[in-house]
Amino acid sequence: MNLKTKILLALKWIFICVLIGILSGSASAFFLITLEFVTQYRIHHDWIIWLLPIGGLLVGFSYYYLGKDVVKGNNLLLEEYENPKQIIPLKMAPLVFFGTIITHLFGGSAGREGTAVQMGGAIADQFTRIFKLDDSERKTLIILGISAGFASVFGTPLAGAVFALEVVYFSKINLKSILLSFIVAYAAYFTVEIWQVKHTHYSIPLVPEITATNLFYTLICGALFGFAALLFSRSTHFWGSLFSKTIKYPPLRPFVGGIILAIAIAGFGFSKFSGLGVPTIVDSFTNTNAWYDFLLKILFTGFTLGAGFKGGEVTPLFFVGATFGSALSLVVPMPIALLAGMGFVAVFSGATHTPIACTIMGIELFGIESGIYIVIVCVIAYLSSGSVGIYKSQIVKGPKYKLYQKLKRKNTNFL
């Protein structure tokens, strides 16, 4: 390949990155604006939660009759990356947009990253046809879609770029994909900025000195956050399996789930756990949460997603981690904001097997001053959260894979 061909190829991929960044960033901006609107509407019209079963039927019918081939969501992206078979249908984007907005409008407990990532992935994969790309190049497109979606919805371009690479198994990535992932992440991030959509800001005003005592507590907290991540992942999978086994007609699953959720949320005053829960996350950095708040969020989110409602898992993971860290401030002699921030990213790390991306996200959100603590809790939570995360189709390799394979062999030999 001569120099001219290399330059043209590089320009082509940069052009693709910019297009994906603009399209995915614009989709995320519109999604975030719409999500904020329906969230505020629900907050000021809390009676609407009683219509959650109807919302469930709408989501169930839309996927059953229009989206059977995209119902796997994020797992479909990971499967197509590992074993490319067919281009992801563009309809994934409007379907997951609609499903997530309905879920949040009526009060289901879900996140938003899954929606942005699926929209980004579906948009990116369409360029396979346009530019007649092969399977290897398709893999790069899927990485670009994930990167653009994540970076744009959270306002963390560095974390978004690394998350896309790490979630599909870092060591299988080529240098081209790494460079392009960062380009598309920043293109998507700046697109959202141009649309003047604001992201939530968090801060850790006080970071204590690094001492043996503080490091000891950090290790303990990391293990606890890993356990919370394990509970979250197992809860989502448990409820999904239970609904699949007990209700054979898919559209009825979110309808029945919606009835139970509406009674629990509206009837028993659990509205705190509906939607994203961002106000509670922000509050966790300054006020101590009840010790059971993180458990209830795990329950409500696992049930919501398991029943077939749409949305992401990451913001609920932030909620679980921040409220758990906040509650730990009652027994751990460290600043409440630091504990909340540590939990915020560590539970996410454990549930997605992405400690590098979560460490970078923590530094992007909270500042480099808390970097040492963030690194430790993300790695410990990653190692202690079990072998199965929130994405069933994710290939788990690296240190965690080796550790659990070793433990498995030891248990087999012992038995």
Side-chain angles (χ1 to χ4, degrees):
M1 187 183 297
N2 58 41
L3 181 61
K4 181 181 178 181
T5 304
K6 289 181 179 179
I7 292 173
L8 289 174
L9 184 62
L11 290 174
K12 181 184 83 169
W13 277 103
I14 291 172
F15 178 66
I16 290 173
C17 283
V18 172
L19 282 179
I20 292 173
I22 292 173
L23 293 172
S24 297
S26 297
S28 289
F30 180 60
F31 170 61
L32 290 171
I33 292 169
T34 309
L35 184 58
E36 177 63 18
F37 174 79
V38 298
T39 298
Q40 291 302 318
Y41 186 88
R42 187 191 72 244
I43 290 172
H44 293 99
H45 304 82
D46 54 5
W47 57 266
I48 202 172
I49 290 178
W50 291 109
L51 298 180
L52 189 57
I54 305 302
L57 270 182
L58 292 174
V59 174
F61 281 134
S62 66
Y63 270 85
Y64 187 71
Y65 290 105
L66 300 174
K68 284 184 179 179
D69 49 348
V70 296
V71 72
K72 290 182 179 179
N74 286 355
N75 285 303
L76 177 61
L77 298 180
L78 297 176
E79 288 175 9
E80 283 297 322
Y81 177 84
E82 191 62 26
N83 296 297
K85 293 180 180 178
Q86 58 183 12
I87 296 172
I88 296 165
L90 183 59
K91 64 182 177 181
M92 172 185 267
L95 278 171
V96 74
F97 179 95
F98 172 77
T100 305
I101 292 301
I102 291 296
T103 298
H104 283 277
L105 173 63
F106 295 111
S109 176
R112 54 193 172 183
E113 120 288 336
T115 307
V117 165
Q118 289 172 52
M119 289 193 299
I123 290 169
D125 208 15
Q126 305 313 305
F127 288 94
T128 300
R129 285 197 191 94
I130 297 172
F131 290 94
K132 297 180 172 55
L133 304 178
D134 59 27
D135 284 348
S136 175
E137 293 171 316
R138 259 201 80 205
K139 290 189 174 188
T140 299
L141 283 180
I142 290 173
I143 289 173
L144 298 185
I146 294 172
S147 175
F150 193 99
S152 57
V153 81
F154 289 124
T156 52
L158 289 175
V162 176
F163 176 81
L165 298 166
E166 197 173 11
V167 78
V168 297
Y169 182 22
F170 226 136
S171 68
K172 295 177 71 175
I173 307 298
N174 56 43
L175 179 60
K176 181 182 79 173
S177 295
I178 294 174
L179 294 174
L180 294 177
S181 184
F182 281 92
I183 293 172
V184 78
Y186 274 96
Y189 167 74
F190 284 119
T191 297
V192 174
E193 291 290 299
I194 291 170
W195 283 112
Q196 298 184 343
V197 177
K198 302 300 181 184
H199 298 285
T200 307
H201 294 283
Y202 307 92
S203 66
I204 300 176
L206 177 63
V207 179
E209 292 182 8
I210 299 171
T211 64
T213 301
N214 285 337
L215 290 178
F216 171 76
Y217 281 119
T218 302
L219 291 171
I220 298 298
C221 288
L224 291 173
F225 293 142
F227 180 67
L230 185 150
L231 281 179
F232 188 100
S233 300
R234 298 296 170 88
S235 171
T236 304
H237 299 327
F238 168 78
W239 290 114
S241 176
L242 182 64
F243 272 99
S244 296
K245 289 177 181 177
T246 56
I247 303 175
K248 297 303 179 182
Y249 185 55
L252 283 181
R253 295 168 193 165
F255 175 72
V256 173
I259 293 173
I260 297 170
L261 283 168
I263 293 171
I265 293 171
F268 292 90
F270 286 129
S271 57
K272 175 181 180 179
F273 303 99
S274 62
L276 292 171
V278 170
T280 301
I281 297 173
V282 173
D283 186 64
S284 297
F285 283 74
T286 53
N287 298 303
T288 305
N289 282 87
W291 66 268
Y292 51 80
D293 279 355
F294 81 99
L295 291 172
L296 288 174
K297 187 62 173 178
I298 289 174
L299 174 63
F300 277 100
T301 304
F303 192 89
T304 298
L305 298 177
F309 286 93
K310 297 301 171 182
E313 298 93 347
V314 173
T315 304
L317 285 169
F318 294 161
F319 185 113
V320 169
T323 54
F324 191 15
S326 174
L328 285 174
S329 67
L330 291 171
V331 293
V332 176
M334 296 177 74
I336 184 173
L338 178 61
L339 288 168
M342 285 161 51
F344 185 105
V345 289
V347 175
F348 175 28
S349 170
T352 57
H353 312 300
T354 56
I356 301 173
C358 293
T359 296
I360 293 172
M361 171 174 264
I363 292 172
E364 278 190 286
L365 291 175
F366 311 128
I368 191 66
E369 298 80 9
S370 57
I372 296 297
Y373 294 106
I374 296 296
V375 170
I376 293 172
V377 291
C378 284
V379 171
I380 298 301
Y382 158 72
L383 292 173
S384 60
S385 60
S387 57
V388 179
I390 54 176
Y391 307 131
K392 284 185 176 181
S393 299
Q394 184 180 13
I395 305 297
V396 182
K397 294 289 184 181
K400 172 181 261 190
Y401 175 79
K402 294 177 182 177
L403 172 64
Y404 280 88
Q405 285 294 105
K406 190 173 182 180
L407 291 173
K408 185 178 180 180
R409 285 195 296 270
K410 281 187 176 182
N411 288 336
T412 302
N413 294 334
F414 178 76
L415 294 173

